[in-house]
């Protein structure tokens, strides 16, 4: 317990790696002797950068001490609080145990963990995920639907205004339409030496991840709140979230995990543990209409997604994790 209390200052800055052997009664079956190995990611899996995009540019966001006084600064601070304590500040729109800051570390400031300052100036933009040009607000709505397993706040809601104000302020001085160094997750050209492997990933998890995320991968709580987030199960991101795709998870893990020791895992370890994490059940993709194969065809037709594929004898997505009492 004392050790966990010492780790509390890192509460808002945690997220992905993978898991250990599934507990009895979990949705994942025991691993048979022949463990699964994912197909090697195809070079075409990552969409090419637009030809009009300018080269990456260095940028440093303003310090939090520079948030101004007055009504605008108050809204920025409100947005920061919502970003770090999402379930507590926006309970009507959150359906799991995560916060925005679990995937966007240091309250959305840390490079190579999809920082807000790297995203704000790149919208409006076309997204293949929903096949239309998205505003920044729509992009945030998607995070609530998929990563938070909840529902989208209205674009004119106070929650959305606060988050947009926080992102806008953090991007103060950043060029518009320019990919900044450290924006997103560093997955360009990031390929595993060997195809990702579930069994190797379990070993990495036991060695480097279970201390924080729990031996069952379901996170750890203090006083009823997660201090380390769940990586799968009913309180994690759902099958529609970007982190369920191997390249996103591996790039995030490589750059940021274990917490405060990013870039210490080998490339292979990062891909293997991403495979292990993403081969566990989580809440259903909200776009699911009753046909698993059709949902994969419509939304997951990529080697980076394990949804609708069989790993260790289990068809992923067929028994999605649900919170107790939910339908």
């Amino acid at each position: 317990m004392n050790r966990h209390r010492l780790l509390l200052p890192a509460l808002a800055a945690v997220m992905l790696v993978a898991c250990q052997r599934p507990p009895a009664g979990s949705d994942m079956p025991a691993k048979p002797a022949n463990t699964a190995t994912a197909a090697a990611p195809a070079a075409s899996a990552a969409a090419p950068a637009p030809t009009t995009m300018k080269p990456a540019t260095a940028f440093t966001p303003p310090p939090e001490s520079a948030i101004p006084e007055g009504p605008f600064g108050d809204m920025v601070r409100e947005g920061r609080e919502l970003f770090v304590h999402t379930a507590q500040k926006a309970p009507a729109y959150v359906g799991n145990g995560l916060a925005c800051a679990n995937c966007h570390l240091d309250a959305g400031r840390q490079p190579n963990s999809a920082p807000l300052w790297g995203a704000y100036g790149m919208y409006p933009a076309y997204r293949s995920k929903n096949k239309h040009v998205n505003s920044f607000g729509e992009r945030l709505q998607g995070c609530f639907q998929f990563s938070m397993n909840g529902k989208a706040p209205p674009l004119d809601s106070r929650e959305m205004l606060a988050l947009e104000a926080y992102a806008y302020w953090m991007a103060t001085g950043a060029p518009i339409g320019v990919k900044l160094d450290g924006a997103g997750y560093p997955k360009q050209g990031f390929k595993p030496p060997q195809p990702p492997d579930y069994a190797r990933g379990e070993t990495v998890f036991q060695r480097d991840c279970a201390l924080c995320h729990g031996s069952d991968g379901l996170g750890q709580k203090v006083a009823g709140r997660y201090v380390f987030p769940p990586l799968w199960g009913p309180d994690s991101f759902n099958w529609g979230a970007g982190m369920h795709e191997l390249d996103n998870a591996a790039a995030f893990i490589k750059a940021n995990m274990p917490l405060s020791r990013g870039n210490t895992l080998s490339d292979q370890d990062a891909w293997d543990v991403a495979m292990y994490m993403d081969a566990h059940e989580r809440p259903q993709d909200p776009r699911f209409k009753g046909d698993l194969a059709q949902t994969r065809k419509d939304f997951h037709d990529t080697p980076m997604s394990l949804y609708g594929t069989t790993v260790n004898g289990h068809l992923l997505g067929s028994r999605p994790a649900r919170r107790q009492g939910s339908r």
Side-chain angles (χ1 to χ4, degrees):
M1 179 65 73
N2 289 337
R3 186 169 193 173
H4 291 164
R5 289 172 178 162
L6 290 173
L7 290 168
L8 282 176
L11 166 60
V14 218
M15 182 62 180
L16 285 275
V17 265
C19 92
Q20 198 186 23
R21 187 176 307 279
S26 73
D27 284 325
M28 279 298 296
K31 178 172 64 66
N34 295 322
T35 57
T37 299
S44 60
T51 56
T52 56
M53 185 175 289
K54 300 177 183 178
T57 301
F59 176 75
T60 301
E64 290 183 358
S65 60
I67 298 176
E69 298 300 323
F72 175 71
D74 291 343
M75 186 60 71
V76 171
R77 280 181 282 271
E78 185 173 327
R80 185 194 182 283
E81 285 298 296
L82 196 158
F83 197 85
V84 174
H85 306 292
T86 316
Q88 290 73 42
K89 298 297 182 179
Y93 304 112
V94 177
N96 60 21
L98 304 185
C100 302
N102 291 142
C103 294
H104 312 273
L105 303 183
D106 190 21
R109 301 178 61 86
Q110 185 161 308
N112 296 321
S113 66
L116 282 182
W117 48 261
Y120 185 82
M122 301 303 289
Y123 286 87
Y126 177 83
R127 298 191 73 218
S128 59
K129 184 167 187 171
N130 52 25
K131 296 179 172 58
H132 71 269
V133 174
N134 289 210
S135 67
F136 185 69
E138 287 178 284
R139 181 66 183 87
L140 294 176
Q141 286 182 320
C143 290
F144 279 93
Q145 290 175 293
F146 300 113
S147 296
M148 310 303 295
N149 194 37
K151 61 181 182 178
L155 289 174
D156 61 352
S157 64
R158 185 176 183 89
E159 290 86 356
M160 195 64 68
L161 178 60
L163 287 171
E164 290 195 66
Y166 181 48
Y168 168 83
W169 170 81
M170 199 180 293
T172 299
I176 299 297
V178 176
K179 181 173 175 57
L180 302 173
D181 287 337
Y185 302 140
K187 61 180 183 178
Q188 187 66 34
F190 181 46
K191 301 291 189 295
Q194 303 176 58
D197 181 81
Y198 182 98
R200 290 197 306 261
E202 181 178 20
T203 298
V204 176
F205 178 82
Q206 293 172 341
R207 184 189 71 210
D208 294 305
C209 316
L211 175 65
C212 294
H213 295 285
S215 61
D216 56 5
L218 299 181
Q220 297 196 65
K221 291 181 178 180
V222 169
R225 294 188 181 184
Y226 283 104
V227 292
F228 295 104
L231 305 181
W232 57 80
D235 266 351
S236 191
F237 54 89
N238 68 39
W239 278 115
M243 198 61 78
H244 99 277
E245 295 187 351
L246 296 177
D247 57 343
N248 289 326
F252 175 88
I253 292 165
K254 173 68 178 180
N256 299 288
M257 293 291 139
L259 184 64
S260 79
R261 294 193 288 118
N263 290 305
T264 59
L265 294 177
S266 70
D267 291 357
Q268 188 68 59
D269 282 352
W271 279 93
D272 289 343
V273 82
M275 164 74 176
Y276 186 63
M277 176 185 73
D278 284 341
H280 283 75
E281 283 287 16
R282 54 192 66 262
Q284 183 60 273
D285 188 325
R287 300 166 295 186
F288 176 76
K289 301 299 183 184
D291 188 325
L292 187 64
Q294 188 63 46
T295 304
R296 176 169 176 85
K297 180 179 178 181
D298 290 344
F299 305 111
H300 300 272
D301 189 17
T302 166
M304 296 299 169
S305 174
L306 299 177
Y307 180 86
T309 69
T310 299
V311 178
N312 293 342
H314 176 68
L315 180 61
L316 291 166
S318 64
R319 289 183 291 170
R322 295 182 177 90
R323 280 179 159 178
Q324 189 172 9
S326 65
R327 296 184 178 181

